[in-house]
Amino acid sequence: MQTVLEGERAIPVHGPYDVAVAGGGTAGILAAIAAARAGASTILLERGGFFGGHIATQLLEHSAGWYDANGQKVVGGLPDELVERLKQAGGSPGHVTDDTGYTRMRLPVEHELFKSVVVEWLDDEGVQVMPQSPVAAAIERGGLLHVICETKSGRVAFAAKAAVDTTGDADLCARAGCDFHPMDAMQPVSMLFKLGNVDHEAALAYVSAHPEDFKMEAGFPDFSGRSHYNLWGYGSLLRKGREAGLLSLDRNEMHVACHVHSREAVINVTRFAADATDTFAMARAEVALRRQVREFTRFFREMIPGYEKSFLSATASCVGVRESRRIRGVSTLMDDDVRKGRWFTDAVARGGFPIDSHDAHGNSMDGTEHVPAGYDIPLSVLLPESGPNIIVAGRNISAERRALASARITGTCMAMGQAAGTAAALSALGNMPLRQLDVSALQDRLRRDGAIFEAGGPAQRG
Ligand SMILES: Cc1cc2nc3c(=O)[nH]c(=O)nc-3n(C[C@H](O)[C@H](O)[C@H](O)COP(=O)(O)OP(=O)(O)OC[C@H]3O[C@@H](n4cnc5c(N)ncnc54)[C@H](O)[C@@H]3O)c2cc1C
């Protein structure tokens, strides 16, 4: 391929900050708040025009991963404060039972309010927020990491003693030369969409008449008087939609998360196989997924009872990514650590969601695995094995693929964010590299701040 040589340029430097957080999504918001709470001057760099990550960009059905299969809470501390702020703003009813029985509880979120609630929270906590600041490069000089963003003002460098990579795709680590696990297989990308003007009474009448078409929690849930409900199924109608030539994508089932009060439903059904770090593949995904959204909108109006007068009220603002780069860490969260609910001496967070893996080339999941109990997430899987003073949180941690398919859920990402932000603050304020941090001091601080993890016990590793 032809190339063009870019000349050297002098880039203005802002800072130094104690902590720079790259990526203002699920994990990044919590990382920035945790760092600021721990006393660090903190800047949060986000490529998009608002903060919130996938919850906001994808219009997620709900935030999940807060409870394990036994109903034990596995996420606490700062993420709980976010839930309280959301509830106070009318942006969430709080944790509600999962009607599908897939997980114990789920947290419906009003996406537009979520964007405002999180940016107000960040501002209240003294975090300097920088939307429209995509990370483009990273340079280490004079004991500081310079995180370089491509902004409307041109390239700007933000110097920091410690950095947190919460970009989901580990963009900062990639620019800083860190190493990654192979990306030979990945879950598909998707685009969620919302339908408005749904007649939920008619939709639920169909569900009651055809319970065999849906996966439900033990016993048929009582949907009466509900503000939110969710469904996993519609297989027979999807088949009919294919036969009628309405749908080009073959799906066995779909997830429909319903907001009764606003007559809306969020639909998770589209999918496309793409490497999210390949910008050309993501361009193809954008085209393919928006075509699928239009097909499914028509299908809903023509074939799903209750949706006859519905309309496309919102679509995700970008392609949604389940899996891309995973850093090669000081250690790796193994599939069996998740399956067996292992505890770690250097634990800093906890997960408990099922292994939730979508098939990039098939019409269903590629083997959901029930996770019987919560498992610890150790600090060592958040730390790149080599490279500058960076810690990661979110779906770019060092994990085997099935382990990540559980840990990528938003509740777990928030818990990891709190841990990573606190660690970055302790590193910066104590002039101690992240890889040499006193783990028990970090754990003490996290426990004081309400974080949940076991850090020792019967099924211990490391
Ligand atoms: C279709 C789909 C449906 C899902 N459904 C659910 C669900 O119902 N419930 C649930 O809990 N989870 C769900 N998930 C999983 C969950 O959304 C993600 O795994 C989770 O949000 C990951 O959190 P994160 O903080 O790592 O990344 P994100 O939340 O994606 O945040 C990353 C942030 O970094 C920013 N960023 C990226 N690159 C750069 C850069 N170079 N510079 C600056 N900023 C950058 C992004 O804009 C974003 O704001 C779903 C995922 C998908 C794709």
Side-chain angles (χ1 to χ4, degrees), residues 85-106:
R85 280 187 172 245
L86 275 169
K87 280 163 65 177
Q88 276 168 24
S92 174
H95 301 281
V96 299
T97 312
D98 178 12
D99 302 308
T100 69
Y102 193 67
T103 178
R104 285 296 278 260
M105 307 294 282
R106 60 191 202 97

Side-chain angles (χ1 to χ4, degrees), residues 232-247:
W232 175 255
Y234 283 116
S236 66
L237 295 183
L238 285 163
R239 206 165 37 252
K240 283 189 186 149
R242 285 274 290 167
E243 285 160 9
L246 287 176
L247 300 175

Side-chain angles (χ1 to χ4, degrees), residues 3 93 134 181 302 381 407:
T3 56
H181 292 288
E302 294 191 15
V381 308

Side-chain angles (χ1 to χ4, degrees), residues 245-324:
L246 287 176
L247 300 175
S248 55
L249 183 74
D250 186 14
R251 286 298 313 265
N252 279 356
E253 68 284 290
M254 59 183 166
H255 190 201
V256 179
C258 298
H259 297 234
V260 176
H261 57 290
S262 57
R263 296 175 66 85
E264 289 180 305
V266 175
I267 321 294
N268 183 347
V269 66
T270 64
R271 61 171 52 162
F272 187 77
D275 171 355
T277 62
D278 174 348
T279 199
F280 297 96
M282 289 299 269
R284 289 192 293 278
E286 168 76 13
V287 176
L289 291 170
R290 291 212 180 267
R291 278 189 202 282
Q292 290 179 22
V293 166
R294 286 241 291 151
E295 284 185 4
F296 277 106
T297 302
R298 182 173 165 210
F299 160 75
F300 265 85
R301 284 174 59 93
E302 294 191 15
M303 302 201 94
I304 306 270
Y307 289 78
E308 296 82 353
K309 294 185 177 154
S310 67
F311 69 100
L312 184 61
S313 60
T315 58
S317 58
C318 57
V319 171
V321 181
R322 294 185 175 85
E323 180 179 358
S324 61

Side-chain angles (χ1 to χ4, degrees), residues 19 33 60 67 118 154 163-164 177 244 278 286 296 298-299 388 392 411 452 458:
V19 174
I33 296 218
L60 286 196
Y67 291 81
V118 293
V164 187
D278 174 348
E286 168 76 13
F296 277 106
R298 182 173 165 210
F299 160 75
V392 311
I452 299 173

Side-chain angles (χ1 to χ4, degrees), residues 47 54 58 167-171 174-175 183-190 272-286 289 318-326 360 395-396:
R47 72 172 165 186
H54 266 58
Q58 276 312 300
T167 58
D169 299 322
D171 280 0
R175 304 297 183 266
M183 286 172 43
D184 35 22
M186 270 170 288
Q187 294 198 44
V189 296
S190 287
F272 187 77
D275 171 355
T277 62
D278 174 348
T279 199
F280 297 96
M282 289 299 269
R284 289 192 293 278
E286 168 76 13
L289 291 170
C318 57
V319 171
V321 181
R322 294 185 175 85
E323 180 179 358
S324 61
R325 289 191 197 100
R326 290 166 289 133
R395 65 173 175 78
N396 46 18

Side-chain angles (χ1 to χ4, degrees), residues 59-73:
L59 318 166
L60 286 196
E61 304 99 296
H62 49 236
S63 171
W66 297 71
Y67 291 81
D68 72 9
N70 307 309
Q72 286 289 324
K73 199 148 181 294

